[in-house]
Amino acid sequence: MADSTPASDVPRYLTGDKAGLREFLAKYDVFLFDCDGVLWSGDHCFPGTVETLELLRKNGKQVVFVTNNSTKSRADYCKKLESLGIPSTVEEVFSSSYSSSIYISRILQLPENKRKVFVIGETGIEQELRSENVPFIGGTDPAYRRDVKPEDYKLIAAGDTSLLDPEVGVVLVGLDFHLNYLKLALAFHYVKRGAVFLATNIDSTLPNSGSLFPGAGSMSAPLIMMLGQEPTALGKPAQAMMDAIEGKFKFDRVRACMVGDRANTDIRFGREGKLGGTLGVLTGVSSKEDFVSGSVRPHAYLDKLSDLLGSEL
Amino acid sequence: MADSTPASDVPRYLTGDKAGLREFLAKYDVFLFDCDGVLWSGDHCFPGTVETLELLRKNGKQVVFVTNNSTKSRADYCKKLESLGIPSTVEEVFSSSYSSSIYISRILQLPENKRKVFVIGETGIEQELRSENVPFIGGTDPAYRRDVKPEDYKLIAAGDTSLLDPEVGVVLVGLDFHLNYLKLALAFHYVKRGAVFLATNIDSTLPNSGSLFPGAGSMSAPLIMMLGQEPTALGKPAQAMMDAIEGKFKFDRVRACMVGDRANTDIRFGREGKLGGTLGVLTGVSSKEDFVSGSVRPHAYLDKLSDLLGSEL
């Protein structure tokens, strides 16, 4: 799947190169940002992040914060950005829950009587589905937070409408801290009956407290095993997310640049999306070696994002 | 993995062949039975099942009922057999929960201070672990049937003993109708800290009410995705189950025969276990064509199990 970068294509190191930085920035109107590892790490905002974003905005660049976090709505995510001291607007945030909602409402062509979404996930997904006027069931509804009962099996097997809503045409799986057997059984039967199988993202783990916990991909894993079918993923590096971002911002891909710390997800996301630019930063997961000699390489890289300030624009 | 049966090895059709049946039966002292599809289907016992088992026992054959169902203990399973009119003893039942317990207590060499098992599963597993004096936590304990709390992340990340028992050396995953985020997070962290990752069985689905529901394999799926590691499976067709059966019954594999309706699981289980015989029956999943020209073929096959009565022994 991953487009390998041609071996001749050596990324340009731009830190301290004022002319190079100016030339690079002039090429793009839109900057898509991965957040953790680029703008901040954990709860710590990198020095110069705020000033760098200001510089871009002042020069007329569109800034988009791209996150796979599906538990938060865009409004929730803005609050998180603000708590780190980073000014932002809801319009600048693009989360996998929003991506999923856009994909369902604007890209999927669902029959009139199959427009309802069965949600495995938390409130962030629900808020974004509401913002796109997509009807849904499941999610945080307490009616689904219960044990499976002996009579459920017969009702589900028979397709009884008390448990299986005939209008459900999509199963959307995101991170759900209340995952249970009943939800998995229902999701399985909806897909078997023809519903489209979507995942907000397929990250198997979720970083928290310096360690890892079950991520959204782990919620889809039982269904993938049962169905023998992968979901369409709406988060990075899936191109469905890029399509959704383009659907919203209507930008020219040649004039857009993806900024990230991870070659295999962020840079790959931009490369596979045929963006004009990809910019790696060394404040996160990938190393200089990854960027310079890995199989997926950015067009340019910096020690840190705030090195863009060296353009003195 | 699957040993293909040599192309020259055509299974013998024994229905109505009195001499052939007598010759076949004389070769084996032990008969391992898959149950659903062989002895019964759903809640319906096949005619002649009881008489056939009687014939085998009368002729001094050891009968073993082999089931991947981990939610029931052997005693529970005997009750199920009795409810279908099939006499049985606990000693004749070999379930994946028992197989797992045997494997842990008699085959795994655990350090003195790492003998506790963290269980994802129901009472059947707990009963069998108790029968082998294996200490365990988790399972049906209500303390684990709760939502994950914000403070859990920090405690788990720090390896706090209030949530992570330092004596746990095994994670055993079976079918759990009360699977939740907390159990998955704990299981993940136990394995990351060095615990052995076991699964009672890896059937992705569970038949019920003529349909399919999440099976034990689906409980392991999130962990497999997060860990990038497969569990050692203790149910058919995994050979760890055959080893456990042999460990208990101390039989000569050459003098043992596996009887089943599914080429890919039952017959494969017997073939890979180098048993002297495998016997297919046409009352379940596999067809005559599967048995005669599939990649894994039985030594012999019958229209139905009760055709063994034609031996008139």
Side-chain angles (χ1 to χ4, degrees), chain A residues 153 177 181 189 211-212 214 217 225, chain B residues 177 181 189 211-212 214 217 225:
Chain A
Y153 297 101
F177 298 112
Y181 193 91
H189 279 264
S211 187
L212 296 173
M225 187 186 270
Chain B
F177 299 112
Y181 193 90
H189 279 264
S211 187
L212 295 174
M225 188 186 270

Side-chain angles (χ1 to χ4, degrees), chain B residues 34 203 236-237 258 261-270:
Chain B
D34 173 51
D203 304 83
K236 291 176 289 179
M258 176 72 205
D261 66 309
R262 289 199 284 194
N264 280 332
T265 55
D266 303 321
I267 302 306
R268 181 179 158 198
F269 181 59

Side-chain angles (χ1 to χ4, degrees), chain A residues 227-250:
Chain A
L227 294 160
Q229 180 191 335
E230 299 280 336
T232 298
L234 279 308
K236 289 177 290 177
Q239 286 304 313
M241 190 178 209
M242 189 66 87
D243 296 340
I245 295 175
E246 187 188 37
K248 177 174 165 81
F249 293 101
K250 312 278 181 209

